[in-house]
Amino acid sequence: MIGHLQGIGMTKLKTGFAALLAISAFTIAQLAAAADVTGTWIMAVQTNAGSGSPTFVLVQKGDALSGSYKGQLGEAQVTGTVKGDDVTIEYTVDGQAGSLAVKYSGKTDGKTMSGKVSLGQLGEGTFTGTKQ
């Protein structure tokens, strides 16, 4: 009988330890995935259409991004997502030639970001950004 009780105690201990490990792994994964990009960003953009250094003011709530863009293309409201270290920022600007959809896609650590920018019919390029 005592051996049986010790076996039950060891099973509970193992189950408790496994649960603790699972919770720890989940917490670490959440911390690693928590790149917060809320703030003002200065981007350095290089494209075939030219270069520029627009300013983004971003607000992150969970995975969702909102905010504003101000640069050579004018001003616009932005939307986007942050999933882990992947970031996407999108906006549309209206000009004399019509509207232009712009999309930034890259990686971030919460302090810097870099990747590719698509300027619709104007082509593509690259960007790097620094949080102010």
Side-chain angles (χ1 to χ4, degrees):
M1 181 78 168
I2 293 177
H4 177 68
L5 291 176
Q6 286 176 336
I8 291 173
M10 287 301 291
T11 301
K12 286 184 178 181
L13 182 62
K14 288 178 184 175
T15 303
F17 185 69
L20 180 62
L21 281 177
I23 291 169
S24 297
F26 179 75
T27 302
I28 290 169
Q30 289 296 323
L31 290 173
D36 185 6
V37 300
T38 296
T40 301
W41 290 79
I42 305 296
M43 304 293 194
V45 179
Q46 298 290 325
T47 72
N48 290 338
S51 62
S53 53
T55 300
F56 288 84
V57 178
L58 302 175
V59 177
Q60 181 179 343
K61 292 183 181 174
D63 287 352
L65 275 183
S66 60
S68 62
Y69 157 87
K70 185 175 184 179
Q72 289 180 312
L73 298 174
E75 296 183 22
Q77 293 301 302
V78 304
T79 59
T81 59
V82 178
K83 295 181 180 177
D85 64 351
D86 293 322
V87 62
T88 302
I89 303 168
E90 299 180 82
Y91 60 93
T92 302
V93 289
D94 293 316
Q96 294 175 347
S99 65
L100 176 67
V102 180
K103 181 176 182 179
Y104 288 68
S105 302
K107 301 279 187 185
T108 185
D109 62 8
K111 297 176 185 169
T112 63
M113 69 174 73
S114 62
K116 295 185 178 188
V117 60
S118 171
L119 299 168
Q121 65 269 27
L122 294 180
E124 296 183 340
T126 60
F127 76 93
T128 57
T130 305
K131 191 176 191 179
Q132 301 302 294

